[in-house]
Amino acid sequence: MFVLQSSDKSTKARTGILKTAHGEIPTPVFMPVGTVGTVKGIMQRDLKDDIGAKIILGNTYHLYLRPGTEIVKKAGGLHNFISWHGPMLTDSGGFQVFSLAGNRKLTEEGAIFRSHIDGSRHIFTPENTIDIQRIFGADIIMAFDECAPFPCDYKYARKSMELTHKWLDRAVARFRETEPVWDYPQYLFPIVQGSTFGDLRKQSAEKIASVSMEGNAIGGLSVGEPEEEMYRMLEIVNDILPDDKPRYLMGVGTPVNILEAIERGVDMFDCVMPTRNGRNGMLFTGQGTVNIRNRKWIDDFSPIDPDGPSSVSLNYSKAYLRHLIISGEILGAQLASIHNLAFYIKLVTDARKNIESGNFKKWKDGMIKKLSDRL
RNA sequence: GGGGAGAUACCAAAGUGGCCAACUGGGGCAGACUGUAAAUCUGCUGGGAAUUCCCUUCGUAGGUUCGAAUCCUGCUCUCCCCA
């Protein structure tokens, strides 16, 4: 399922190909987030053609609540329902249980929570989140975990990690004893936890590696801890997670975070930043980040980004995009999202090229310098 | 021509003797956003020194008062109704 292609000499960065029933994914890869079955504001056609997305995410929590598992099943699975025929990954809902903190109750059995839509009570367990994700039919599905908050004390972090590990065994058991609902294989990724404690991270990575799934994920990071802590955890975890399986760093991050993580051996990323921040007027460009709402862009008729990660970046001006965003126009959110997503995808694509050509370290250092600028 | 209402900071609009440099909304300016309950949220928005300070402001010119955006008088302007 995963083929390692090349490795950087001076760092742990590498390239590979992730093979799924819906297509092959060159890594490193960035996966746009499509929580409720849509990458907000973006048509599937643009996602594929202009942005060049290779795989997108959906979310079990949101889709289970609305439209509901039965509807997705009736539609013939998530791919058919949302008219995206490339690879997909669904998150298990563990993060939602964490972010809906006020409304949840964790037990050994699973997480009891209330719907943010109508207040109704529901339970997620390691087993039913596998069942639901079998029905949704994403190519890659995630184990149900607990994402510990930051900061959290050692005792809580350990308990939370142990619960996640127990849940993992049950999820793997259910995964193994069930068949795909649709006629192609799915892969289950377990998730490393352990907060910012090195020994817990090590222990968790060993556990996760021991279940020998087709790929492994690293969760519970970029939840408020200092970036240096995140990098330190990545180094510990990636030393243990097998090299011949893809490593997925969940929810990360800024362009700089992504480059630092690639350097440490991470292959897959997802983050809401390019879309959410884009809607709110923040652009990522090859020259640095831009707050397009700032007055200084009012008469800047130059392209959004002359590096042109997408046609949108070249064909629309900063002044026009500023006008659209400030006016609250839908098109503004769409253009900013398309540009930012294309930027992210070009970033990881360029990383891949530079790893292949043996120039990664030098290229990365130069990029980080540029990315840190605020225009 | 007669009668009535009103003029408050960029706009709209509260405030009708001290707690008012003046509620609130909009606009403007800036910031935040990391497995999306987010086209959302936060701060600032008279000037200056820049933790409890000073100065100039509520159409305009005077007056009353210890003290006025708030009370009185003149003036200017706006709006509404009836002829």
Side-chain angles (χ1 to χ4, degrees):
Chain A
M1 181 239 189
F2 184 65
V3 181
L4 202 55
Q5 291 179 308
S6 64
S7 296
D8 186 53
K9 283 153 203 71
S10 61
T11 72
K12 300 194 78 180
R14 70 261 189 83
T15 67
I17 293 273
L18 192 57
K19 293 178 179 171
T20 76
H22 289 88
E24 300 196 344
I25 305 159
T27 65
V29 65
F30 178 80
M31 309 181 280
V33 179
T35 308
V36 302
T38 162
V39 177
K40 292 186 192 296
I42 315 286
M43 287 196 289
Q44 278 69 339
R45 184 190 66 196
D46 292 339
L47 214 43
K48 181 165 165 281
D49 297 339
D50 206 4
I51 294 167
K54 293 286 188 281
I55 168 171
I56 65 171
L57 261 62
N59 186 278
T60 300
Y61 169 87
H62 291 279
L63 293 166
Y64 156 83
L65 289 179
R66 193 163 61 188
T69 313
E70 280 310 303
I71 296 300
V72 177
K73 186 174 190 177
K74 235 173 152 177
L78 198 50
H79 290 86
N80 282 330
F81 181 54
I82 74 168
S83 293
W84 170 262
H85 302 290
M88 270 208 284
L89 180 154
T90 44
D91 188 17
S92 64
F95 185 78
Q96 278 58 46
V97 169
F98 153 77
S99 63
L100 271 47
N103 267 344
R104 60 145 187 208
K105 190 178 167 201
L106 292 187
T107 68
E108 178 86 24
E109 167 70 5
I112 299 162
F113 60 92
R114 288 186 175 277
S115 160
H116 70 280
I117 299 165
D118 62 7
S120 53
R121 275 164 57 94
H122 302 267
I123 183 164
F124 271 171
T125 66
E127 291 83 8
N128 75 3
T129 49
I130 293 291
D131 298 342
I132 295 165
Q133 292 185 92
R134 282 287 198 200
I135 291 169
F136 289 166
D139 302 272
I140 300 169
I141 67 179
M142 303 302 298
F144 189 63
D145 65 334
E146 188 201 354
C147 181
F150 180 87
C152 83
D153 60 48
Y154 185 85
K155 218 177 129 190
Y156 184 94
R158 193 182 61 202
K159 232 183 110 185
S160 166
M161 178 194 77
E162 285 166 353
L163 182 63
T164 291
H165 291 175
K166 281 186 206 166
W167 284 353
L168 175 60
D169 289 335
R170 286 161 52 192
V172 168
R174 178 61 68 104
F175 180 69
R176 288 195 168 128
E177 72 198 21
T178 53
E179 290 293 316
V181 170
W182 312 104
D183 59 354
Y184 51 84
Q186 292 179 289
Y187 305 110
L188 173 67
F189 283 21
I191 304 170
V192 175
Q193 288 291 344
S195 190
T196 51
F197 302 103
D199 65 315
L200 296 184
R201 282 286 170 184
K202 182 168 177 288
Q203 206 181 318
S204 188
E206 282 163 355
K207 169 67 185 177
I208 268 51
S210 77
V211 297
S212 297
M213 291 289 107
E214 297 289 337
N216 299 298
I218 306 159
L221 291 175
S222 71
V223 288
E225 79 284 1
E227 293 186 335
E228 293 312 317
E229 286 287 280
M230 172 166 82
Y231 301 148
R232 192 166 68 84
M233 293 305 118
L234 286 180
E235 286 161 18
I236 292 169
V237 166
N238 285 350
D239 256 357
I240 297 163
L241 295 181
D243 279 331
D244 60 353
K245 305 270 177 71
R247 304 184 183 113
Y248 164 28
L249 176 56
M250 305 185 76
V252 173
T254 66
V256 170
N257 289 160
I258 287 174
L259 294 184
E260 294 290 356
I262 289 174
E263 177 171 310
R264 290 164 175 80
V266 175
D267 309 292
M268 303 166 68
F269 302 89
D270 78 281
C271 190
V272 303
M273 226 179 218
T275 41
R276 179 190 290 168
N277 289 32
R279 289 195 302 278
N280 294 329
M282 181 175 179
L283 305 180
F284 299 95
T285 79
Q287 295 77 52
T289 64
V290 169
N291 183 342
I292 199 67
R293 300 190 326 259
N294 288 173
R295 180 163 197 94
K296 60 186 163 190
W297 308 116
I298 196 165
D299 59 353
D300 187 325
F301 305 108
S302 68
I304 292 170
D305 185 351
D307 291 347
S310 73
S311 63
V312 160
S313 321
L314 286 173
N315 293 333
Y316 293 88
S317 71
K318 294 191 183 76
Y320 179 53
L321 182 54
R322 175 182 192 272
H323 164 69
L324 293 175
I325 294 275
I326 284 200
S327 304
E329 283 295 329
I330 296 167
L331 184 61
Q334 293 174 317
L335 296 182
S337 297
I338 291 174
H339 163 74
N340 278 348
L341 285 174
F343 175 84
Y344 265 65
I345 281 166
K346 182 170 189 292
L347 184 74
V348 295
T349 304
D350 286 352
R352 181 179 160 88
K353 283 181 197 151
N354 280 282
I355 295 166
E356 281 170 343
S357 68
N359 191 42
F360 177 72
K361 184 72 178 159
K362 197 176 154 204
W363 171 81
K364 181 217 137 194
D365 289 344
M367 277 308 290
I368 286 191
K369 212 168 278 176
K370 284 196 256 177
L371 290 168
S372 304
D373 280 345
R374 268 200 95 110
L375 304 185

